[in-house]
Structure formats: structure tokens, C-alpha cells
mmCIF file of all heavy atoms in Angstrom:
data_model
loop_
_atom_site.group_PDB
_atom_site.id
_atom_site.type_symbol
_atom_site.label_atom_id
_atom_site.label_comp_id
_atom_site.label_asym_id
_atom_site.label_seq_id
_atom_site.Cartn_x
_atom_site.Cartn_y
_atom_site.Cartn_z
ATOM 1 N N TYR A 1 -2.108 2.648 -34.923
ATOM 2 C CA TYR A 1 -1.791 1.482 -35.678
ATOM 3 C C TYR A 1 -0.671 0.784 -35.086
ATOM 4 O O TYR A 1 -0.290 -0.415 -35.571
ATOM 5 C CB TYR A 1 -1.264 1.994 -37.086
ATOM 6 C CG TYR A 1 -2.297 2.675 -38.001
ATOM 7 C CD1 TYR A 1 -1.927 3.754 -38.801
ATOM 8 C CD2 TYR A 1 -3.606 2.283 -38.026
ATOM 9 C CE1 TYR A 1 -2.784 4.393 -39.600
ATOM 10 C CE2 TYR A 1 -4.480 2.858 -38.861
ATOM 11 C CZ TYR A 1 -4.091 3.859 -39.580
ATOM 12 O OH TYR A 1 -5.078 4.529 -40.486
ATOM 13 N N VAL A 2 0.095 1.313 -34.054
ATOM 14 C CA VAL A 2 1.254 0.692 -33.484
ATOM 15 C C VAL A 2 0.912 -0.009 -32.196
ATOM 16 O O VAL A 2 1.399 -1.152 -31.868
ATOM 17 C CB VAL A 2 2.296 1.781 -33.190
ATOM 18 C CG1 VAL A 2 3.461 1.186 -32.402
ATOM 19 C CG2 VAL A 2 2.808 2.298 -34.638
ATOM 20 N N GLN A 3 0.172 0.522 -31.278
ATOM 21 C CA GLN A 3 -0.229 0.012 -29.943
ATOM 22 C C GLN A 3 -0.803 -1.273 -30.050
ATOM 23 O O GLN A 3 -0.337 -2.245 -29.321
ATOM 24 C CB GLN A 3 -0.943 0.980 -29.180
ATOM 25 C CG GLN A 3 -1.153 0.519 -27.570
ATOM 26 C CD GLN A 3 -1.486 1.600 -26.729
ATOM 27 O OE1 GLN A 3 -1.453 2.801 -26.978
ATOM 28 N NE2 GLN A 3 -1.735 1.203 -25.471
ATOM 29 N N PRO A 4 -1.779 -1.579 -30.831
ATOM 30 C CA PRO A 4 -2.540 -2.915 -30.672
ATOM 31 C C PRO A 4 -1.672 -4.116 -31.006
ATOM 32 O O PRO A 4 -1.641 -5.166 -30.293
ATOM 33 C CB PRO A 4 -3.684 -2.721 -31.799
ATOM 34 C CG PRO A 4 -4.012 -1.308 -31.706
ATOM 35 C CD PRO A 4 -2.690 -0.644 -31.662
ATOM 36 N N PRO A 5 -0.762 -4.017 -32.207
ATOM 37 C CA PRO A 5 0.004 -5.237 -32.391
ATOM 38 C C PRO A 5 1.133 -5.317 -31.321
ATOM 39 O O PRO A 5 1.490 -6.516 -31.004
ATOM 40 C CB PRO A 5 0.589 -4.925 -33.755
ATOM 41 C CG PRO A 5 0.462 -3.444 -34.115
ATOM 42 C CD PRO A 5 -0.814 -3.052 -33.333
ATOM 43 N N ILE A 6 1.680 -4.320 -30.789
ATOM 44 C CA ILE A 6 2.612 -4.446 -29.725
ATOM 45 C C ILE A 6 1.954 -4.950 -28.470
ATOM 46 O O ILE A 6 2.627 -5.860 -27.818
ATOM 47 C CB ILE A 6 3.148 -3.080 -29.266
ATOM 48 C CG1 ILE A 6 4.107 -2.539 -30.500
ATOM 49 C CG2 ILE A 6 4.193 -3.132 -28.116
ATOM 50 C CD1 ILE A 6 4.814 -1.165 -30.242
ATOM 51 N N ALA A 7 0.755 -4.708 -28.230
ATOM 52 C CA ALA A 7 -0.031 -5.237 -27.027
ATOM 53 C C ALA A 7 -0.236 -6.861 -27.113
ATOM 54 O O ALA A 7 -0.402 -7.531 -26.101
ATOM 55 C CB ALA A 7 -1.389 -4.681 -26.903
ATOM 56 N N GLN A 8 0.000 -7.305 -28.279
ATOM 57 C CA GLN A 8 0.068 -8.730 -28.614
ATOM 58 C C GLN A 8 1.324 -9.462 -28.115
ATOM 59 O O GLN A 8 1.600 -10.593 -27.980
ATOM 60 C CB GLN A 8 -0.284 -9.129 -30.040
ATOM 61 C CG GLN A 8 -1.532 -8.674 -30.564
ATOM 62 C CD GLN A 8 -2.701 -9.266 -29.845
ATOM 63 O OE1 GLN A 8 -2.804 -10.467 -29.542
ATOM 64 N NE2 GLN A 8 -3.676 -8.365 -29.336
ATOM 65 N N LEU A 9 2.449 -8.493 -27.975
ATOM 66 C CA LEU A 9 3.788 -8.998 -27.604
ATOM 67 C C LEU A 9 4.025 -8.671 -26.123
ATOM 68 O O LEU A 9 4.747 -9.578 -25.564
ATOM 69 C CB LEU A 9 4.856 -8.295 -28.452
ATOM 70 C CG LEU A 9 4.596 -8.370 -30.051
ATOM 71 C CD1 LEU A 9 5.608 -7.419 -30.786
ATOM 72 C CD2 LEU A 9 4.759 -9.837 -30.625
ATOM 73 N N THR A 10 3.732 -7.581 -25.698
ATOM 74 C CA THR A 10 4.085 -7.209 -24.212
ATOM 75 C C THR A 10 3.119 -6.180 -23.793
ATOM 76 O O THR A 10 2.288 -5.739 -24.486
ATOM 77 C CB THR A 10 5.559 -6.653 -24.122
ATOM 78 O OG1 THR A 10 6.022 -6.618 -22.938
ATOM 79 C CG2 THR A 10 5.787 -5.442 -25.016
ATOM 80 N N ARG A 11 3.511 -5.536 -22.654
ATOM 81 C CA ARG A 11 2.722 -4.348 -22.209
ATOM 82 C C ARG A 11 3.190 -3.098 -22.912
ATOM 83 O O ARG A 11 4.294 -2.941 -23.065
ATOM 84 C CB ARG A 11 2.800 -4.326 -20.700
ATOM 85 C CG ARG A 11 1.792 -3.160 -20.128
ATOM 86 C CD ARG A 11 1.591 -3.342 -18.628
ATOM 87 N NE ARG A 11 0.803 -2.436 -17.978
ATOM 88 C CZ ARG A 11 -0.661 -2.440 -18.044
ATOM 89 N NH1 ARG A 11 -1.143 -3.352 -18.838
ATOM 90 N NH2 ARG A 11 -1.310 -1.516 -17.440
ATOM 91 N N VAL A 12 2.099 -2.350 -23.196
ATOM 92 C CA VAL A 12 2.469 -1.040 -23.965
ATOM 93 C C VAL A 12 1.583 0.032 -23.406
ATOM 94 O O VAL A 12 0.387 -0.114 -23.245
ATOM 95 C CB VAL A 12 2.357 -1.227 -25.464
ATOM 96 C CG1 VAL A 12 0.972 -1.806 -25.864
ATOM 97 C CG2 VAL A 12 2.749 0.004 -26.298
ATOM 98 N N CYS A 13 2.147 1.254 -23.403
ATOM 99 C CA CYS A 13 1.460 2.392 -22.976
ATOM 100 C C CYS A 13 1.692 3.613 -23.859
ATOM 101 O O CYS A 13 2.879 4.004 -24.237
ATOM 102 C CB CYS A 13 1.890 2.728 -21.440
ATOM 103 S SG CYS A 13 1.687 1.687 -20.171
ATOM 104 N N SER A 14 0.639 4.257 -24.250
ATOM 105 C CA SER A 14 0.622 5.507 -24.835
ATOM 106 C C SER A 14 0.221 6.629 -23.896
ATOM 107 O O SER A 14 -0.578 6.197 -22.933
ATOM 108 C CB SER A 14 0.018 5.609 -26.147
ATOM 109 O OG SER A 14 -1.409 5.227 -25.961
ATOM 110 N N TYR A 15 0.329 7.867 -24.099
ATOM 111 C CA TYR A 15 -0.167 8.861 -23.188
ATOM 112 C C TYR A 15 -0.202 10.225 -23.848
ATOM 113 O O TYR A 15 0.274 10.456 -25.023
ATOM 114 C CB TYR A 15 0.795 9.049 -21.936
ATOM 115 C CG TYR A 15 1.988 9.800 -21.967
ATOM 116 C CD1 TYR A 15 2.081 11.026 -21.312
ATOM 117 C CD2 TYR A 15 3.011 9.517 -22.818
ATOM 118 C CE1 TYR A 15 3.099 11.839 -21.359
ATOM 119 C CE2 TYR A 15 4.154 10.175 -22.931
ATOM 120 C CZ TYR A 15 4.225 11.564 -22.275
ATOM 121 O OH TYR A 15 5.389 12.231 -22.232
ATOM 122 N N ASP A 16 -0.865 11.174 -23.299
ATOM 123 C CA ASP A 16 -0.876 12.487 -23.790
ATOM 124 C C ASP A 16 -0.119 13.521 -22.921
ATOM 125 O O ASP A 16 -0.368 13.575 -21.753
ATOM 126 C CB ASP A 16 -2.402 12.959 -23.941
ATOM 127 C CG ASP A 16 -3.264 12.096 -24.842
ATOM 128 O OD1 ASP A 16 -2.704 11.753 -25.934
ATOM 129 O OD2 ASP A 16 -4.417 11.649 -24.440
ATOM 130 N N ARG A 17 0.818 14.127 -23.528
ATOM 131 C CA ARG A 17 1.507 15.185 -22.828
ATOM 132 C C ARG A 17 0.605 16.317 -22.302
ATOM 133 O O ARG A 17 -0.679 16.375 -22.818
ATOM 134 C CB ARG A 17 2.663 15.853 -23.593
ATOM 135 C CG ARG A 17 3.846 14.832 -24.034
ATOM 136 C CD ARG A 17 5.027 15.639 -24.453
ATOM 137 N NE ARG A 17 4.720 16.211 -25.711
ATOM 138 C CZ ARG A 17 4.701 15.789 -26.855
ATOM 139 N NH1 ARG A 17 5.082 14.436 -27.083
ATOM 140 N NH2 ARG A 17 4.626 16.478 -27.919
ATOM 141 N N ALA A 18 1.041 17.036 -21.455
ATOM 142 C CA ALA A 18 0.136 18.155 -20.811
ATOM 143 C C ALA A 18 -0.451 19.067 -21.885
ATOM 144 O O ALA A 18 0.338 19.579 -22.759
ATOM 145 C CB ALA A 18 0.905 18.956 -19.811
ATOM 146 N N GLY A 19 -1.729 19.213 -21.891
ATOM 147 C CA GLY A 19 -2.483 19.963 -22.839
ATOM 148 C C GLY A 19 -2.934 19.393 -24.174
ATOM 149 O O GLY A 19 -3.634 20.016 -24.948
ATOM 150 N N PHE A 20 -2.441 18.048 -24.371
ATOM 151 C CA PHE A 20 -2.909 17.406 -25.606
ATOM 152 C C PHE A 20 -4.071 16.406 -25.309
ATOM 153 O O PHE A 20 -4.034 15.676 -24.218
ATOM 154 C CB PHE A 20 -1.646 16.723 -26.229
ATOM 155 C CG PHE A 20 -0.551 17.649 -26.773
ATOM 156 C CD1 PHE A 20 0.404 17.977 -25.821
ATOM 157 C CD2 PHE A 20 -0.776 18.230 -27.950
ATOM 158 C CE1 PHE A 20 1.362 18.958 -26.306
ATOM 159 C CE2 PHE A 20 0.269 19.157 -28.360
ATOM 160 C CZ PHE A 20 1.384 19.519 -27.575
ATOM 161 N N ALA A 21 -4.948 16.328 -26.202
ATOM 162 C CA ALA A 21 -6.071 15.361 -26.251
ATOM 163 C C ALA A 21 -6.635 15.384 -24.771
ATOM 164 O O ALA A 21 -7.333 16.345 -24.490
ATOM 165 C CB ALA A 21 -5.575 13.965 -26.647
ATOM 166 N N TRP A 22 -6.568 14.262 -24.050
ATOM 167 C CA TRP A 22 -7.385 14.242 -22.793
ATOM 168 C C TRP A 22 -6.642 14.718 -21.605
ATOM 169 O O TRP A 22 -7.191 14.894 -20.499
ATOM 170 C CB TRP A 22 -7.777 12.771 -22.531
ATOM 171 C CG TRP A 22 -8.854 12.226 -23.373
ATOM 172 C CD1 TRP A 22 -10.180 12.526 -23.220
ATOM 173 C CD2 TRP A 22 -8.677 11.320 -24.580
ATOM 174 N NE1 TRP A 22 -10.926 11.827 -24.241
ATOM 175 C CE2 TRP A 22 -10.039 11.136 -25.110
ATOM 176 C CE3 TRP A 22 -7.629 10.880 -25.324
ATOM 177 C CZ2 TRP A 22 -10.308 10.436 -26.177
ATOM 178 C CZ3 TRP A 22 -7.857 10.211 -26.305
ATOM 179 C CH2 TRP A 22 -9.068 9.871 -26.872
ATOM 180 N N SER A 23 -5.404 15.126 -21.813
ATOM 181 C CA SER A 23 -4.562 15.694 -20.699
ATOM 182 C C SER A 23 -4.904 17.093 -20.438
ATOM 183 O O SER A 23 -4.999 17.922 -21.280
ATOM 184 C CB SER A 23 -3.122 15.419 -20.884
ATOM 185 O OG SER A 23 -2.828 14.051 -20.828
ATOM 186 N N GLU A 24 -4.680 17.540 -19.126
ATOM 187 C CA GLU A 24 -4.801 18.878 -18.824
ATOM 188 C C GLU A 24 -3.507 19.721 -19.092
ATOM 189 O O GLU A 24 -2.501 19.106 -19.123
ATOM 190 C CB GLU A 24 -5.223 19.046 -17.340
ATOM 191 C CG GLU A 24 -6.543 18.450 -16.962
ATOM 192 C CD GLU A 24 -6.825 18.503 -15.452
ATOM 193 O OE1 GLU A 24 -5.880 18.714 -14.734
ATOM 194 O OE2 GLU A 24 -7.955 18.265 -15.034
ATOM 195 N N LEU A 25 -3.713 21.027 -19.222
ATOM 196 C CA LEU A 25 -2.587 21.829 -19.503
ATOM 197 C C LEU A 25 -1.618 21.797 -18.164
ATOM 198 O O LEU A 25 -2.084 21.625 -17.078
ATOM 199 C CB LEU A 25 -2.958 23.222 -19.665
ATOM 200 C CG LEU A 25 -3.624 23.624 -21.010
ATOM 201 C CD1 LEU A 25 -4.316 24.987 -21.054
ATOM 202 C CD2 LEU A 25 -2.504 23.591 -22.127
ATOM 203 N N GLY A 26 -0.333 21.878 -18.385
ATOM 204 C CA GLY A 26 0.583 21.837 -17.191
ATOM 205 C C GLY A 26 1.433 23.125 -17.049
ATOM 206 O O GLY A 26 1.281 23.980 -17.834
ATOM 207 N N PRO A 27 2.242 23.094 -16.068
ATOM 208 C CA PRO A 27 3.104 24.230 -15.788
ATOM 209 C C PRO A 27 4.021 24.617 -16.811
ATOM 210 O O PRO A 27 4.624 23.635 -17.525
ATOM 211 C CB PRO A 27 3.654 23.990 -14.406
ATOM 212 C CG PRO A 27 3.763 22.449 -14.344
ATOM 213 C CD PRO A 27 2.514 22.023 -15.055
ATOM 214 N N GLU A 28 4.494 25.711 -16.968
ATOM 215 C CA GLU A 28 5.372 26.119 -18.002
ATOM 216 C C GLU A 28 6.770 26.493 -17.253
ATOM 217 O O GLU A 28 6.791 26.885 -16.034
ATOM 218 C CB GLU A 28 4.972 27.315 -18.832
ATOM 219 C CG GLU A 28 3.690 26.942 -19.645
ATOM 220 C CD GLU A 28 3.289 28.110 -20.614
ATOM 221 O OE1 GLU A 28 4.078 28.978 -20.787
ATOM 222 O OE2 GLU A 28 2.212 28.003 -21.041
ATOM 223 N N PRO A 29 7.847 26.499 -17.894
ATOM 224 C CA PRO A 29 8.084 26.257 -19.358
ATOM 225 C C PRO A 29 7.899 24.679 -19.684
ATOM 226 O O PRO A 29 8.228 23.953 -18.885
ATOM 227 C CB PRO A 29 9.519 26.671 -19.649
ATOM 228 C CG PRO A 29 10.200 26.437 -18.360
ATOM 229 C CD PRO A 29 9.146 26.783 -17.285
ATOM 230 N N ARG A 30 7.355 24.554 -20.970
ATOM 231 C CA ARG A 30 7.197 23.115 -21.368
ATOM 232 C C ARG A 30 8.511 22.468 -22.048
ATOM 233 O O ARG A 30 8.445 22.318 -23.220
ATOM 234 C CB ARG A 30 6.051 22.995 -22.320
ATOM 235 C CG ARG A 30 4.688 23.433 -21.594
ATOM 236 C CD ARG A 30 4.382 22.674 -20.405
ATOM 237 N NE ARG A 30 4.340 21.297 -20.540
ATOM 238 C CZ ARG A 30 4.265 20.464 -19.503
ATOM 239 N NH1 ARG A 30 4.341 20.905 -18.362
ATOM 240 N NH2 ARG A 30 4.496 19.140 -19.777
ATOM 241 N N THR A 31 9.501 22.281 -21.339
ATOM 242 C CA THR A 31 10.670 21.752 -21.898
ATOM 243 C C THR A 31 10.590 20.351 -22.093
ATOM 244 O O THR A 31 9.779 19.677 -21.453
ATOM 245 C CB THR A 31 11.876 22.083 -21.046
ATOM 246 O OG1 THR A 31 11.827 21.516 -19.855
ATOM 247 C CG2 THR A 31 12.161 23.717 -20.955
ATOM 248 N N ALA A 32 11.539 19.689 -22.830
ATOM 249 C CA ALA A 32 11.444 18.296 -22.937
ATOM 250 C C ALA A 32 11.878 17.608 -21.573
ATOM 251 O O ALA A 32 11.429 16.488 -21.261
ATOM 252 C CB ALA A 32 12.535 17.872 -24.085
ATOM 253 N N ARG A 33 12.660 18.262 -20.833
ATOM 254 C CA ARG A 33 13.114 17.610 -19.502
ATOM 255 C C ARG A 33 11.879 17.660 -18.658
ATOM 256 O O ARG A 33 11.498 16.746 -17.910
ATOM 257 C CB ARG A 33 14.219 18.356 -18.941
ATOM 258 C CG ARG A 33 14.329 17.991 -17.430
ATOM 259 C CD ARG A 33 15.829 18.148 -16.907
ATOM 260 N NE ARG A 33 16.697 17.066 -17.391
ATOM 261 C CZ ARG A 33 17.818 17.218 -18.065
ATOM 262 N NH1 ARG A 33 18.271 18.315 -18.191
ATOM 263 N NH2 ARG A 33 18.552 16.208 -18.350
ATOM 264 N N GLN A 34 10.990 18.815 -18.740
ATOM 265 C CA GLN A 34 9.710 18.876 -17.835
ATOM 266 C C GLN A 34 8.844 17.675 -18.244
ATOM 267 O O GLN A 34 8.317 16.994 -17.451
ATOM 268 C CB GLN A 34 9.160 20.090 -18.035
ATOM 269 C CG GLN A 34 7.670 20.272 -17.382
ATOM 270 C CD GLN A 34 7.725 20.496 -15.943
ATOM 271 O OE1 GLN A 34 8.932 20.751 -15.460
ATOM 272 N NE2 GLN A 34 6.576 20.560 -15.268
ATOM 273 N N ALA A 35 8.722 17.321 -19.592
ATOM 274 C CA ALA A 35 7.919 16.363 -20.104
ATOM 275 C C ALA A 35 8.403 14.894 -19.706
ATOM 276 O O ALA A 35 7.673 14.094 -19.393
ATOM 277 C CB ALA A 35 7.755 16.399 -21.589
ATOM 278 N N ALA A 36 9.778 14.837 -19.690
ATOM 279 C CA ALA A 36 10.356 13.454 -19.338
ATOM 280 C C ALA A 36 10.051 13.368 -17.829
ATOM 281 O O ALA A 36 9.771 12.126 -17.504
ATOM 282 C CB ALA A 36 11.887 13.560 -19.589
ATOM 283 N N ASP A 37 10.295 14.288 -16.989
ATOM 284 C CA ASP A 37 9.984 14.081 -15.577
ATOM 285 C C ASP A 37 8.560 13.825 -15.279
ATOM 286 O O ASP A 37 8.316 13.016 -14.327
ATOM 287 C CB ASP A 37 10.445 15.463 -14.824
ATOM 288 C CG ASP A 37 12.011 15.525 -14.765
ATOM 289 O OD1 ASP A 37 12.681 14.495 -15.033
ATOM 290 O OD2 ASP A 37 12.504 16.768 -14.555
ATOM 291 N N GLU A 38 7.656 14.492 -16.085
ATOM 292 C CA GLU A 38 6.171 14.153 -15.899
ATOM 293 C C GLU A 38 5.870 12.864 -16.318
ATOM 294 O O GLU A 38 5.052 12.175 -15.649
ATOM 295 C CB GLU A 38 5.557 15.260 -16.566
ATOM 296 C CG GLU A 38 5.511 16.665 -15.940
ATOM 297 C CD GLU A 38 4.645 17.635 -16.695
ATOM 298 O OE1 GLU A 38 3.939 17.316 -17.667
ATOM 299 O OE2 GLU A 38 4.496 18.739 -16.181
ATOM 300 N N LEU A 39 6.524 12.251 -17.332
ATOM 301 C CA LEU A 39 6.276 10.935 -17.798
ATOM 302 C C LEU A 39 6.726 9.976 -16.709
ATOM 303 O O LEU A 39 5.922 9.004 -16.455
ATOM 304 C CB LEU A 39 6.956 10.632 -19.094
ATOM 305 C CG LEU A 39 7.011 9.212 -19.626
ATOM 306 C CD1 LEU A 39 5.522 8.714 -19.813
ATOM 307 C CD2 LEU A 39 7.777 9.100 -20.924
ATOM 308 N N HIS A 40 7.815 10.260 -16.157
ATOM 309 C CA HIS A 40 8.405 9.356 -15.035
ATOM 310 C C HIS A 40 7.385 9.305 -13.927
ATOM 311 O O HIS A 40 7.121 8.290 -13.266
ATOM 312 C CB HIS A 40 9.784 9.918 -14.708
ATOM 313 C CG HIS A 40 10.453 8.922 -13.641
ATOM 314 N ND1 HIS A 40 10.541 9.240 -12.386
ATOM 315 C CD2 HIS A 40 10.992 7.781 -13.749
ATOM 316 C CE1 HIS A 40 11.256 8.340 -11.646
ATOM 317 N NE2 HIS A 40 11.432 7.344 -12.515
ATOM 318 N N SER A 41 6.838 10.618 -13.578
ATOM 319 C CA SER A 41 6.047 10.641 -12.343
ATOM 320 C C SER A 41 4.702 10.012 -12.694
ATOM 321 O O SER A 41 4.089 9.323 -11.819
ATOM 322 C CB SER A 41 5.815 12.053 -12.108
ATOM 323 O OG SER A 41 6.901 12.800 -11.606
ATOM 324 N N LEU A 42 4.235 10.049 -13.915
ATOM 325 C CA LEU A 42 3.050 9.520 -14.343
ATOM 326 C C LEU A 42 3.070 7.962 -14.265
ATOM 327 O O LEU A 42 2.247 7.312 -13.708
ATOM 328 C CB LEU A 42 2.785 9.868 -15.947
ATOM 329 C CG LEU A 42 1.484 9.257 -16.526
ATOM 330 C CD1 LEU A 42 0.229 9.592 -15.823
ATOM 331 C CD2 LEU A 42 1.573 9.568 -18.043
ATOM 332 N N LEU A 43 4.173 7.387 -14.767
ATOM 333 C CA LEU A 43 4.249 5.923 -14.787
ATOM 334 C C LEU A 43 4.390 5.483 -13.200
ATOM 335 O O LEU A 43 3.724 4.358 -12.939
ATOM 336 C CB LEU A 43 5.520 5.497 -15.525
ATOM 337 C CG LEU A 43 5.424 5.865 -17.004
ATOM 338 C CD1 LEU A 43 6.852 5.507 -17.630
ATOM 339 C CD2 LEU A 43 4.481 4.907 -17.684
ATOM 340 N N ASN A 44 5.115 6.120 -12.391
ATOM 341 C CA ASN A 44 5.102 5.726 -11.048
ATOM 342 C C ASN A 44 3.705 5.950 -10.385
ATOM 343 O O ASN A 44 3.317 4.913 -9.628
ATOM 344 C CB ASN A 44 6.066 6.676 -10.251
ATOM 345 C CG ASN A 44 7.559 6.383 -10.489
ATOM 346 O OD1 ASN A 44 7.825 5.164 -11.003
ATOM 347 N ND2 ASN A 44 8.412 7.318 -10.254
ATOM 348 N N ALA A 45 2.986 6.928 -10.633
ATOM 349 C CA ALA A 45 1.746 7.134 -10.009
ATOM 350 C C ALA A 45 0.726 6.177 -10.399
ATOM 351 O O ALA A 45 -0.127 5.751 -9.796
ATOM 352 C CB ALA A 45 1.135 8.599 -10.279
ATOM 353 N N ALA A 46 0.877 5.666 -11.743
ATOM 354 C CA ALA A 46 0.036 4.602 -12.225
ATOM 355 C C ALA A 46 0.364 3.206 -11.880
ATOM 356 O O ALA A 46 -0.342 2.218 -12.197
ATOM 357 C CB ALA A 46 0.126 4.723 -13.849
ATOM 358 N N GLY A 47 1.468 3.042 -11.221
ATOM 359 C CA GLY A 47 1.921 1.774 -10.696
ATOM 360 C C GLY A 47 2.612 0.945 -11.823
ATOM 361 O O GLY A 47 2.909 -0.349 -11.685
#
């Protein structure tokens, strides 16, 4: 409900953390810092 209207304003990205929906399971421990670092790497890898 949020992404489509924001896309009318600017670029917007949603994603799935490791193990959720379409994403594969990732290494443990699954801390918030691990997730933040993976998000940063994901955005870089995606350009």
C-alpha cells in the first residue's frame, strides 16, 4: 500500500531480508547489524 504512491514521487525500493519471501537464508547470527550491512551490500550490488 506504500510503495506505489511513493513511486509517483521518487525512486523507492523494498526488499526481503535473508530467509523471507523470495530471499535465500543467510549466515547466522541474524543480528540487526548483519541485516544493515547486507542491505548496504545489496544496494551497492544493485547499482
Side-chain angles (χ1 to χ4, degrees):
Y1 294 143
V2 174
Q3 184 160 352
I6 293 179
Q8 300 298 315
L9 306 171
T10 189
R11 188 158 180 80
V12 54
C13 300
S14 57
Y15 83 109
D16 299 314
R17 291 193 301 275
F20 295 91
W22 287 280
S23 289
E24 297 176 347
L25 288 164
E28 297 185 15
R30 297 306 308 168
T31 64
R33 170 151 282 131
Q34 175 77 9
D37 289 343
E38 288 183 358
L39 173 58
H40 185 256
S41 296
L42 173 64
L43 295 172
N44 285 343

